[in-house]
Amino acid sequence: MPHLDLLAAEQQWWKTEGIAISDTIDRAGTPGVRMFDKLGRRIDEILYPREYQTMLRKGYRSGVVWRALEENSLIPTYLLMYTISFHDPGVCCPYTVSLGTAVPLAKYGSAETQAHFLPPLLRKDDSVWQGATWMTEIGGGSDLGAAVNTIAKPAADGWRLTGDKYFASNAAAELAVAAARPEGAPPSVRGLALFLVPRCRKDDRLNYFLRRLKDKIATRSVPTGEIELRDSEAYLLGQADSGIYLILEVLNLSRVANSVVSVALAQRAMADALAYAECRTAFGKRILDLPLLRRQFDDRLKSLRSAFALAWESVRLLDQVWMERPPYSERYHLFRLVAHLAKYWTAEFAVDTAKWAMEVHGGLGTLAEYGAERWLREAMILAIWEGTPHRQILDGLEVMERKQAHKMLFAQLAEIAPAGELQEMESEVQRLLNLPPQQKEAEAEAVFRRLAVLSADQLSRKYPH
Ligand SMILES: Cc1cc2nc3c(=O)[nH]c(=O)nc-3n(C[C@H](O)[C@H](O)[C@H](O)COP(=O)(O)OP(=O)(O)OC[C@H]3O[C@@H](n4cnc5c(N)ncnc54)[C@H](O)[C@@H]3O)c2cc1C
């Protein structure tokens, strides 16, 4: 397998150094912010311990961002994320949003913007810049068309952005992509454009301000804050009137990352549960050998393989279409459906598995020192960011309805799955799509869930165990 040595080295580093750093960061909670320097100038510096930088920079050096553009493939990026998130799901957020900055810049930035900003994002040493992807505002993340109030005004040398971003991960990144509405654009999702926003202005003063950091239940390896854009220097990516497509391309990179991270988290929670069940005894046996628990382990292992297959199928498809621009191919729409199924189902599976792994530990599972509680906290966030389950279901419905993406999915599955099962599922999907709009939304979850499980189970035949 290509990159095997890279992944083995990454794994080894986490065992010898990374795990201890990650545990400390998680237990330490939200870091402080130094807002002013000694001369009273705004600096908005996040006060993580030095070891945090060691952990964070390791993934960048290994190539979680630069390899995608140098090797012209997303496979190494997602392989690295899978390996890293087995130990720390949260630290994959900075990597994902940095990728989500580098890719649209490489695809849609002007030659001048690329020449200035891309090389620092792709550095292979510790001076690498980080990216960020800021869409969500106080009005909510699901309905971006209504909730994005950040305004973009044209300026002689680019654009100026003013507005507040309410959930902004990697809050001190050197460069961010942000959704904003050019003055006079329609008040819907079609009026949004995507802009590149550097941390520092041309005169070196701060270009955006960090109001505060969020005190979160998990993903403490990424600082998430509130950002104030105040006449901030910005550069338009692509055409203003196709901004929503670019925003969705950024989100899709994250949704696939989220799927990979969810599967790794579930695998980690199961590995910890297994290690515990091999040692703990009850009723004269290792608890692993008690029939009820043994069956649960067997069933969950099968589901893990299915979840992995679904996540990896989304990686494989994205790797084929990530350089496409609108108007997209049919394959792109197939990818979108698989990405919604994967984001939805793998996160649900991760939450359920983390809860179960805690139960296997019994009361000890609720204690921080056993680790199981952390996986449950982390998993809860995976289900919400990058679009909640509701969003995945409704967007999945849309791509089936408007682009007939389910037909492409069924055609692909037909090569590996029994015909009867597929036909039954296909008529269930068709029945849903034929319902009146309100009823269709109300009844979508059960069908979407069955479609996700069926796809995952059938795809698992494709991947070696
Ligand atoms: C730790 C963390 C970090 C984050 N980092 C970032 C970041 O870096 N950049 C960024 O842009 N965002 C970020 N987010 C925001 C995240 O993307 C949003 O939380 C998410 O998109 C949901 O938006 P919301 O929280 O505003 O919920 P809302 O949109 O207010 O939704 C509230 C509830 O209503 C449901 N709902 C909405 N519409 C429908 C519908 N049509 N049908 C049924 N139910 C519906 C939602 O699913 C949800 O359950 C982050 C979030 C977290 C928790």
Side-chain angles (χ1 to χ4, degrees):
M1 186 172 113
H3 301 107
L4 204 55
D5 291 347
L6 170 73
L7 301 181
E10 198 68 17
Q11 172 80 341
Q12 189 53 35
W13 182 85
W14 273 91
K15 284 187 177 158
T16 51
E17 286 190 60
I19 291 174
I21 301 174
S22 171
D23 283 351
T24 309
I25 299 294
D26 176 59
R27 298 309 300 162
T30 311
V33 178
R34 182 180 292 129
M35 296 187 84
F36 299 95
D37 70 5
K38 288 176 182 167
L39 298 174
R41 288 171 302 210
R42 278 295 284 267
I43 49 169
D44 293 6
E45 200 179 294
I46 299 172
L47 301 174
Y48 269 121
R50 281 175 70 93
E51 290 76 14
Y52 174 73
Q53 292 298 334
T54 309
M55 178 177 80
L56 178 74
R57 303 282 155 180
K58 175 72 179 84
Y60 287 114
R61 272 190 278 118
S62 299
V64 80
V65 178
W66 64 258
R67 281 181 194 275
L69 289 161
E70 190 172 301
E71 298 183 19
N72 207 12
S73 166
L74 292 171
I75 302 289
T77 293
Y78 289 121
L79 281 173
L80 276 166
M81 284 192 195
Y82 185 63
T83 308
I84 295 167
S85 51
F86 193 74
H87 305 291
D88 189 330
V91 80
C92 285
C93 174
Y95 303 149
T96 303
V97 293
S98 295
L99 183 75
T101 306
V103 170
L105 173 57
K107 282 175 76 174
Y108 299 106
S110 67
E112 198 185 343
T113 321
Q114 284 192 20
H116 193 70
F117 293 113
L118 200 50
L121 280 176
L122 302 179
R123 284 183 195 146
K124 297 179 179 173
D125 60 23
D126 287 351
S127 70
V128 63
W129 280 18
Q130 294 199 78
T133 61
W134 299 337
M135 318 296 171
T136 309
E137 301 190 3
I138 183 74
S142 304
D143 184 6
L144 284 181
V148 171
N149 286 316
T150 297
I151 289 291
K153 292 186 184 173
D157 57 348
W159 292 73
R160 297 288 181 271
L161 263 49
T162 299
D164 297 333
K165 295 292 172 186
Y166 200 65
F167 257 117
S169 288
N170 234 11
E174 283 84 359
L175 208 55
V177 290
R181 199 179 303 279
E183 250 183 337
S188 69
V189 84
R190 301 259 160 216
L192 298 180
L194 189 66
F195 293 88
L196 195 68
V197 186
R199 177 172 161 82
C200 293
R201 303 174 78 88
K202 286 190 188 118
D203 64 7
D204 269 352
R205 285 180 301 136
L206 281 187
N207 191 33
Y208 66 77
F209 303 99
L210 172 56
R211 185 156 55 202
R212 60 174 174 151
L213 288 180
K214 307 285 196 191
D215 192 1
K216 303 175 285 181
I217 61 166
T219 63
R220 290 174 179 153
S221 319
V222 56
T224 303
E226 292 168 24
I227 294 294
E228 295 175 345
L229 299 161
R230 295 290 178 268
D231 243 343
S232 303
E233 292 173 1
Y235 305 87
L236 178 66
L237 293 175
Q239 302 293 320
D241 57 5
S242 55
I244 186 57
Y245 295 108
L246 275 61
I247 292 169
L248 289 174
E249 284 186 19
V250 170
L251 275 175
N252 284 334
L253 287 164
S254 306
R255 285 169 177 164
V256 170
N258 205 86
S259 308
V260 168
V261 169
S262 295
V263 173
L265 183 147
Q267 187 174 341
R268 175 58 193 268
M270 284 178 69
D272 288 359
L274 179 64
Y276 185 73
E278 281 173 339
C279 303
R280 184 76 165 181
T281 55
F283 302 99
K285 285 182 173 170
R286 305 186 307 169
I287 60 171
L288 179 63
D289 296 326
L290 299 169
L292 174 58
L293 207 52
R294 167 67 75 168
R295 172 63 67 87
Q296 286 186 345
F297 269 101
D298 290 347
D299 288 350
R300 208 163 274 275
L301 185 58
K302 266 191 225 138
S303 301
L304 176 70
R305 287 177 175 147
S306 298
F308 174 85
L310 185 58
W312 206 255
E313 189 70 1
S314 74
V315 171
R316 210 179 59 79
L317 286 169
L318 179 59
D319 197 49
Q320 294 168 7
V321 299
W322 66 302
M323 280 296 159
E324 282 193 20
R325 296 152 186 255
Y328 302 111
S329 69
E330 286 209 327
R331 198 151 190 82
Y332 190 91
H333 300 305
L334 169 65
F335 154 71
R336 271 182 60 205
L337 174 58
V338 172
H340 290 308
L341 291 167
K343 175 13 174 125
Y344 163 72
W345 179 242
T346 57
E348 295 290 282
F349 179 67
V351 173
D352 190 63
T353 301
K355 168 181 166 285
W356 169 84
M358 183 187 265
E359 287 161 10
V360 171
H361 285 79
L364 298 177
T366 65
L367 308 178
E369 67 193 279
Y370 286 83
E373 61 87 41
R374 177 172 175 194
W375 307 135
L376 184 54
R377 285 188 288 112
E378 304 274 6
M380 291 308 298
I381 289 187
L382 295 178
I384 291 173
W385 67 8
E386 322 306 354
T388 57
H390 305 133
R391 204 57 267 142
Q392 305 310 318
I393 294 168
L394 295 175
D395 286 358
L397 207 59
E398 191 225 42
V399 75
M400 289 196 270
E401 206 160 20
R402 295 188 42 190
K403 304 292 177 186
Q404 302 294 300
H406 54 298
K407 299 210 166 134
M408 294 178 254
L409 177 63
F410 286 123
Q412 293 249 315
L413 291 179
E415 291 165 21
I416 42 177
E421 239 176 284
L422 280 188
Q423 273 158 13
E424 214 174 289
M425 188 75 242
E426 198 166 357
S427 28
E428 221 181 306
V429 169
Q430 206 51 58
R431 191 192 66 81
L432 177 74
L433 296 180
N434 291 340
L435 292 174
Q438 298 270 333
Q439 199 184 347
K440 189 168 22 198
E441 279 196 23
E443 293 187 17
E445 181 170 17
V447 179
F448 198 74
R449 176 180 287 257
R450 276 197 290 278
L451 181 60
V453 173
L454 177 133
S455 305
D457 286 347
Q458 299 307 332
L459 285 166
S460 74
R461 298 162 187 252
K462 263 175 66 172
Y463 292 92
H465 294 153

